Amino acid sequence: MKIPLSYSWRSLWTRRLTTTMTLAGLALVVFVFAAVLMLAHGIEVALIDTGSDDNAIVIRRSSTSELVSQIERDAANIITTLPQIARGADGKPQASTETYVLINLEKKETGDMGNISVRGISPGAMQLRPQVRLTEGRMFRFGTDEIIIGQNIARRFQGCEIGQTIRFGESDWVIVGHFAAQGSAFESEIWGDVEQFMPSFGRPVFSSVTVRLRNPEEFTRFKASVEQDPRTQMGDVKREREYYREQSALMSSFVRILGLLVTFIFSIGAVIGAVITMYAAVANRTVEIGTLRALGFRRRSVLGAFLVESTLLSLIGGSVGIGLAALMSFVRISTTNFGSFSELGFGFALSPSIITASFVFAVTMGLIGGFFPAVRAARLNILTALREA
Amino acid sequence: MGESIGRPMVEVRNVSKSYHRDSIEIPVLQQINIAVPEGEFLALMGPSGSGKTTLLNLIAGIDRPTSGEVIVQGTNIGQLNESALARWRASHIGFVFQFYNLLPVLTAFDNVELPLLLTNLSKSERRNRVELALKLVGLADRMAHYPKQLSGGQEQRVAIARAIVTDPTLLVADEPTGDLDKVSAGEIMDLLDRLNKEFRKTIVMVTHDPRAAEKAHTVTHLEKGELA
């Protein structure tokens, strides 16, 4: 049988100061680790949840995003009449031909200019995006110069109150409503009538066509229809969710790689802290180790006891770190998405896999930190250890 | 373990022990022969450096002779590998140390229970044995106390309870009264005497204290690594 867990646990408690200091180091590193993953996941959630599995988006082949995509009106007309597209109650295809451009607005806090996405939509757009709901004011009327603004933009940029007018695309636009979209990237956009935006921006072409499929399994046939027709074959068809996943990849990967690199460097410090703590624990308890061995406990039991101790240390540190990181769920960030060069609001999103990864990371640090001191404890000669008394 | 009728409990045959410091060989014991019958209470005495603790460690199986054999209850313990020797110690030897060597973070109960964790006994059986051992040493009411909450004499009694809780073949005690005042030392020696007489425990004890040695049936003197 093994040396009782209570021995490891109480031994940690006996050295409260060093234990607390080591715990703080481990907790800090786990906090950074979890927060980085939460941030990257938050970006993915914001962008991926923007898309829907039922929808498909068509952009121009080789375009990395809507921003650089062009779909001619003729091609768009053909695409929106394809049979795989769901029909609304009025019998019309559920599709939105859209234009997507960037404008500059002044930030409330700093007065700096920031890029804002402006999306011109067709009347069918709201059916495609049921997550969008007005939080204030009303929906804009098609055929007018009215616009609605996502709540993330309304909060952070000047002149975005209902009733105010914004000038862009050589026109003045009246704000009639604010909208939310369940934290997705749409909340960082300005929406208006695509037919009003296109002449205003001097753009004769759409940026994209988004459609709702009759069912998600029709995607392959819809894609083949678009890509095999010579009139529409310049179009690249993607599931909407997949498109937004690609849009998030650059930024989330950047955050994840940079963050994990920083965390790795931090973790070296935490592991060194754990090593020092555990070596001190072994040095202070040489006689105890000698006694346990004399009583008949084997080397591997001693090794196990010290590894359990460092694992306990890391589990507590990990729990504290994850607990602190969980508080970050209440923080929302808004910054420029490298994928679209436009403002994107997102939060720190915790997930079960991040909790698991954080605990695995914490325990790994604990085991690495505890391993060599534990080996040293296990290799102590009984007589040498007992002579320390 | 092979138990041989008529053979002594402990046989030390032609045992020599030397240590190496750098390239110099330091002899500690030379050609020692001792036989300890079952139920014996043997005191090993001698000046510092005479090799008495080394001899005790060899008998207890926490050290190995350079030459010769140590046979306890028919088992030549020098032939056991490290793992087997650890198992053998757990079931055959009860240790009593000069400085008690209790684990400070464990209660008296938990300290006494430690050797039983190496057996297959159930939790309730372990509890019964620990309570019995602590009752025997007169500390049934101190089970939940930590070592620092006990006097030196009480700590040594907990250590004795730990030594007897597995009902070992042999008790080895290294200066059991060395860190105690006169009264406590007397109590400890009375307890060891009782374990020997009432419970037929074979005891090998190293001591400097002539009063402690008075309780032993046999006193063996060592000087410069040889029997005097």
Side-chain angles (χ1 to χ4, degrees):
Chain A
M1 195 182 275
K2 301 287 176 289
I3 294 167
L5 186 65
S6 57
Y7 173 68
S8 302
W9 175 250
R10 289 180 199 156
S11 295
L12 278 176
W13 185 238
T14 301
R15 310 184 313 273
R16 284 181 200 82
L17 185 64
T18 47
T19 297
T20 308
M21 301 290 268
T22 313
L23 277 180
L26 286 164
L28 182 68
V29 176
V30 174
F31 165 74
V32 174
F33 178 81
V36 163
L37 293 183
M38 285 170 69
L39 195 58
H41 186 52
I43 294 166
E44 287 169 345
V45 166
L47 280 166
I48 293 169
D49 284 355
T50 305
S52 159
D53 283 330
D54 296 333
N55 294 349
I57 182 169
V58 185
I59 58 170
R60 195 172 197 85
R61 191 171 301 284
S62 306
S63 301
T64 51
S65 72
E66 290 174 279
L67 192 61
V68 290
S69 167
Q70 294 187 347
I71 305 280
E72 287 76 16
R73 189 176 287 272
D74 290 346
N77 288 340
I78 295 166
I79 292 167
T80 53
T81 54
L82 285 169
Q84 295 85 14
I85 299 172
R87 304 260 159 185
D90 54 1
K92 290 182 181 169
Q94 293 189 2
S96 179
T97 48
E98 302 185 343
T99 189
Y100 184 88
V101 290
L102 295 183
I103 62 161
N104 284 312
L105 285 182
E106 209 172 305
K107 289 179 184 171
K108 277 182 184 170
E109 277 184 12
T110 59
D112 295 338
M113 300 303 277
N115 284 346
I116 309 295
S117 307
V118 173
R119 181 181 296 277
I121 60 169
S122 305
M126 298 305 273
Q127 286 178 298
L128 300 178
R129 284 124 187 183
Q131 75 270 39
V132 174
R133 59 178 179 81
L134 287 163
T135 53
E136 271 184 280
R138 60 173 174 82
M139 178 62 181
F140 68 83
R141 285 173 298 178
F142 284 90
T144 69
D145 58 358
E146 292 174 351
I147 53 171
I148 56 173
I149 294 188
Q151 64 178 10
N152 184 49
I153 300 299
R155 265 198 302 263
R156 289 174 39 84
F157 286 83
Q158 289 181 14
C160 292
E161 297 307 315
I162 290 173
Q164 288 186 302
T165 300
I166 299 178
R167 185 167 181 79
F168 60 80
E170 297 183 1
S171 299
D172 291 321
W173 305 91
V174 182
I175 302 163
V176 297
H178 290 163
F179 67 93
Q182 293 177 357
S184 69
F186 291 138
E187 286 184 4
S188 302
E189 294 182 349
I190 295 174
W191 284 12
D193 183 352
V194 67
E195 298 298 348
Q196 300 298 312
F197 283 173
M198 282 170 70
S200 177
F201 283 107
R203 288 179 63 131
V205 293
F206 298 111
S207 301
S208 63
V209 179
T210 301
V211 304
R212 165 145 302 182
L213 299 167
R214 281 191 305 208
N215 69 61
E217 285 77 48
E218 298 247 43
F219 174 79
T220 314
R221 267 194 284 164
F222 176 72
K223 183 177 171 70
S225 299
V226 172
E227 293 177 357
Q228 284 166 13
D229 188 327
R231 296 166 297 173
T232 57
Q233 66 181 8
M234 83 313 234
D236 187 11
V237 184
K238 291 174 179 174
R239 286 189 191 275
E240 196 182 29
R241 211 173 165 79
E242 188 56 34
Y243 169 78
Y244 281 104
R245 189 191 307 280
E246 288 172 12
Q247 297 301 300
S248 72
L250 184 63
M251 193 162 168
S252 61
S253 299
F254 176 78
V255 168
R256 198 173 273 131
I257 292 168
L258 185 69
L260 292 182
L261 188 68
V262 170
T263 312
F264 174 73
I265 295 165
F266 275 20
S267 71
I268 295 171
V271 167
I272 290 171
V275 169
I276 292 170
T277 301
M278 292 310 297
Y279 266 128
V282 173
N284 289 335
R285 277 144 61 197
T286 307
V287 179
E288 293 175 31
I289 295 163
T291 306
L292 286 166
R293 297 265 289 113
L295 292 180
F297 286 94
R298 286 191 258 176
R299 288 184 194 275
R300 64 170 180 237
S301 296
V302 174
L303 181 86
F306 279 89
L307 284 180
V308 163
E309 204 166 311
S310 65
T311 304
L312 277 175
L313 200 59
S314 64
L315 281 175
I316 300 168
S319 303
V320 173
I322 293 167
L324 290 173
L327 295 176
M328 296 299 286
S329 301
F330 299 106
V331 176
R332 280 194 72 78
I333 291 174
S334 190
T335 188
T336 303
N337 177 14
F338 313 146
S340 62
F341 303 106
S342 62
E343 195 74 6
L344 174 68
F346 52 89
F348 289 79
L350 194 58
S351 70
S353 62
I354 291 176
I355 294 173
T356 308
S358 301
F359 272 119
V360 169
F361 178 62
V363 170
T364 305
M365 281 196 294
L367 286 177
I368 294 172
F371 182 74
F372 293 106
V375 167
R376 182 177 176 174
R379 293 177 68 169
L380 275 175
N381 175 279
I382 301 177
L383 289 178
T384 313
L386 289 174
R387 275 193 207 115
E388 297 286 318
Chain B
M1 288 300 144
E3 218 171 300
S4 306
I5 295 166
R7 295 178 80 173
M9 168 76 77
V10 179
E11 289 177 81
V12 176
R13 293 184 191 160
N14 302 320
V15 162
S16 296
K17 178 72 185 176
S18 54
Y19 293 109
H20 288 269
R21 192 164 294 161
D22 301 323
S23 56
I24 304 163
E25 186 175 345
I26 303 164
V28 183
L29 292 175
Q30 293 169 66
Q31 294 294 314
I32 301 290
N33 285 285
I34 295 178
V36 183
E38 190 172 353
E40 173 68 291
F41 189 163
L42 170 71
L44 294 172
M45 296 190 76
S48 295
S50 59
K52 55 192 186 301
T53 296
T54 302
L55 180 57
L56 189 78
N57 291 339
L58 292 171
I59 293 170
I62 56 174
D63 201 0
R64 291 175 189 271
T66 309
S67 64
E69 292 175 335
V70 177
I71 297 164
V72 181
Q73 259 195 333
T75 302
N76 184 345
I77 59 173
Q79 289 177 345
L80 299 176
N81 65 27
E82 194 180 284
S83 232
L85 192 58
R87 271 198 303 275
W88 177 84
R89 280 198 305 271
S91 55
H92 288 79
I93 302 292
F95 283 95
V96 181
F97 301 96
Q98 179 177 358
F99 299 107
Y100 337 126
N101 290 25
L102 299 177
L103 302 196
V105 297
L106 299 185
T107 61
F109 182 96
D110 293 337
N111 266 290
V112 176
E113 192 187 22
L114 270 177
L116 294 178
L117 297 176
L118 296 162
T119 67
N120 294 322
L121 294 176
S122 68
K123 197 172 177 182
S124 62
E125 286 172 318
R126 293 203 303 267
R127 167 163 281 278
N128 289 341
R129 287 241 198 156
V130 172
E131 285 174 357
L132 189 67
L134 280 167
K135 197 175 164 190
L136 193 68
V137 298
L139 288 175
D141 57 341
R142 295 283 191 275
M143 278 190 236
H145 285 59
Y146 286 93
K148 68 179 176 192
Q149 297 169 319
L150 301 171
S151 68
Q154 287 172 327
E155 279 194 78
Q156 192 60 298
R157 281 194 275 158
V158 173
I160 291 172
R162 180 180 65 186
I164 59 172
V165 75
T166 55
D167 193 20
T169 317
L170 182 65
L171 287 184
V172 294
D174 188 4
E175 303 276 11
T177 58
D179 197 45
L180 297 175
D181 60 64
K182 203 169 148 184
V183 176
S184 299
E187 287 170 359
I188 292 300
M189 287 317 301
D190 287 343
L191 183 56
L192 289 176
D193 186 44
R194 190 177 156 215
L195 289 171
N196 174 249
K197 285 187 176 142
E198 268 182 49
F199 297 90
R200 297 282 300 155
K201 290 289 163 203
T202 309
I203 302 174
V204 179
M205 173 182 73
V206 163
T207 185
H208 272 110
D209 182 356
R211 277 191 300 271
E214 281 173 13
K215 295 282 181 185
H217 306 161
T218 312
V219 178
T220 298
H221 287 271
L222 280 120
E223 223 159 289
K224 293 180 182 172
E226 293 177 1
L227 293 176

